[in-house]
């Protein structure tokens, strides 16, 4: 791996350009990619799925940090020769899938046997969608995810009730995982620099018995509540209650939820209780 060209040389060597539509902003500083890979330690015996490797900075760091196997999923074929050059010096530890990560069945591609960790500097435009797919995967096939997002999205994942970033995403993610903010990565660390800063979040699935199982319904409930986050719950949840044949005030009262509350003050457990009582009434 030490004999590979540097990432900047790689970009020049293969004439790699940044396609805005695919959310391409590259990390060419291996100090930063090493820091991200270290969050996934220990990596011995682990199979890492890396989404959107681009020129392969994080890929190199994951291999260097001792991952037993790394499978990268990249949509843009311009990166394949640079990734192949890494695979050639990886002792068969690197596999490359060319495709859209949104439609690749990661669990099947990586196969059984080894714990799976997901690592990615995600394209901004599809990052949230990918996260929701992984949170709702049944069975939950991964043991840890180390993910870079636009900072504002990262804040929405880890936020607690009462914070301005508290959102539907926080409730869904924290109903399945522990979520923590690791560190910020300023826009200037990327080439080309995006308009906003980024941050890395670490997600670890809760023990199975503590995970909230009906994420689809919780997603629908929180979409209704946060779709109108300035409105009181008795207003924003009216269509949801009607759809499920619930008397809104009775339903909220049974779970000790004040109808004049706004969604940003309601704890995650209260949203879960409300969703659970709908599941039970069906
Ligand atoms: N990981 C590289 C780095 O840190 O330098 C590149 C990060 S760049 C923000 C996002 C990468 O995801 C690009 O390489 C882009 O081509 C790729 N990508 C975008 N959408 C994708 C998708 N749906 N499936 C797989 N890769 C995708």
């Amino acid at each position: 791996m030490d004999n590979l060209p540097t990432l900047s040389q790689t970009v020049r060597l293969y004439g790699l350009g940044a396609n805005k539509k695919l959310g391409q902003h590259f990390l060419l500083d291996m100090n930063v990619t090493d820091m991200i890979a270290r969050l996934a330690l220990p990596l011995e015996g682990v199979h890492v799925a890396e989404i959107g490797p681009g020129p392969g900075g994080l890929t190199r760091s994951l291999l260097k940090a001792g991952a037993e196997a790394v499978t990268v999923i990249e949509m843009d074929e311009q990166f394949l020769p640079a990734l192949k050059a890494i695979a050639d010096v990886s002792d068969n530890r690197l596999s490359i899938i060319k495709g859209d990560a949104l439609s690749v069945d990661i669990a099947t591609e990586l196969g059984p046997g080894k714990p799976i960790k997901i690592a990615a500097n995600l394209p901004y435009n599809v990052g949230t969608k990918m996260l929701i797919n992984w949170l709702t995967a049944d069975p939950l096939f991964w043991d840890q995810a180390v993910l870079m997002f636009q900072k504002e999205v990262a804040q929405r994942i880890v936020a607690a009730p009462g914070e301005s970033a508290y959102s539907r995403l926080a409730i869904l993610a924290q109903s399945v995982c522990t979520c923590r903010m690791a560190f910020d990565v300023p826009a200037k660390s990327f080439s080309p620099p995006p308009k906003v800063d980024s941050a890395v979040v670490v997600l670890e699935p809760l023990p199975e018995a503590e995970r909230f199982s009906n994420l689809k319904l919780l997603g629908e409930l929180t979409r209704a509540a946060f779709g109108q986050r300035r409105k009181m719950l008795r207003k924003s949840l009216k269509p949801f209650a009607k759809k499920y044949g619930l008397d809104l005030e009775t339903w909220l009262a049974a779970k000790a939820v004040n109808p004049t509350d706004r969604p940003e003050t309601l704890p995650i457990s209260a949203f879960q209780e409300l969703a659970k009582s709908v599941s039970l009434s069906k």
Side-chain angles (χ1 to χ4, degrees):
M1 203 99 61
D2 291 341
N3 295 330
L4 286 170
T6 65
L7 290 167
S8 302
Q9 286 167 344
T10 299
V11 166
R12 281 195 298 276
L13 192 65
Y14 297 99
L16 304 176
N19 177 343
K20 270 198 184 155
K21 278 202 197 113
L22 290 177
Q24 292 177 349
H25 299 278
F26 309 126
L27 280 173
L28 304 180
D29 179 349
M30 295 267 318
N31 292 312
V32 180
T33 55
D34 284 350
M35 274 170 70
I36 299 172
R38 275 200 292 275
L39 293 169
L41 291 175
L43 282 166
E44 285 72 24
V46 169
H47 196 154
V48 182
E50 190 203 340
I51 315 306
L58 181 56
T59 316
R60 294 185 192 197
S61 295
L62 290 163
L63 290 165
K64 232 171 49 170
E68 181 161 324
V70 177
T71 295
V72 292
I73 305 168
E74 174 56 63
M75 209 175 168
D76 186 346
E77 65 185 19
Q78 69 164 328
F79 299 114
L80 300 183
L83 294 168
K84 168 92 176 30
I86 303 172
D88 288 344
V89 294
S90 73
D91 294 327
N92 284 327
R93 289 188 295 149
L94 179 60
S95 311
I96 303 165
I97 297 176
K98 152 108 182 43
D100 180 346
L102 283 170
S103 47
V104 171
D105 179 344
I106 298 178
T108 304
E109 289 293 343
L110 271 65
K114 295 186 190 69
I116 292 176
K117 296 188 179 182
I118 304 174
N121 169 11
L122 289 172
Y124 287 161
N125 48 355
V126 286
T128 310
K129 198 164 176 202
M130 284 190 194
L131 175 60
I132 301 275
N133 281 356
W134 298 329
L135 291 171
T136 50
D138 185 18
L140 202 70
F141 62 89
W142 48 279
D143 294 85
Q144 189 202 41
V146 176
L147 307 174
M148 170 115 72
F149 292 95
Q150 182 175 340
K151 188 172 171 187
E152 180 246 338
V153 175
Q155 285 166 332
R156 285 203 278 127
I157 294 169
V158 302
E163 294 176 4
S164 60
Y166 185 53
S167 65
R168 175 172 182 264
L169 201 51
I171 294 164
L172 295 182
Q174 293 174 42
S175 290
V176 179
C177 299
T178 59
C179 308
R180 74 178 169 90
M181 185 77 92
F183 51 80
D184 293 352
V185 183
K188 66 175 170 26
S189 303
F190 297 84
S191 174
K195 289 200 176 74
V196 292
D197 290 339
S198 295
V200 185
V201 175
V202 180
L203 299 102
E204 275 158 10
L206 295 164
E208 199 167 351
E210 290 171 34
R211 283 179 222 150
F212 190 76
S213 55
N214 197 340
L215 225 58
K216 190 164 176 276
L217 193 60
L218 189 63
E220 196 180 336
L221 172 66
T222 50
R223 183 179 287 113
F226 284 90
Q228 308 184 61
R229 64 183 295 143
R230 300 279 157 245
K231 298 225 167 93
M232 292 176 193
L233 293 167
R234 76 167 164 224
K235 174 110 181 129
S236 60
L237 291 183
K238 213 178 206 170
F240 180 91
K242 187 165 176 226
K243 175 175 171 189
Y244 287 97
L246 302 158
D247 177 74
L248 180 61
E249 303 271 338
T250 314
W251 171 51
L252 295 178
K255 295 295 160 196
V257 173
N258 190 337
T260 59
D261 278 351
R262 291 181 170 76
E264 63 254 33
T265 60
L266 215 60
I268 294 176
S269 57
F271 281 108
Q272 292 178 343
E273 284 302 314
L274 288 172
K276 225 185 278 172
S277 67
V278 178
S279 306
L280 292 176
S281 72
K282 293 292 113 192

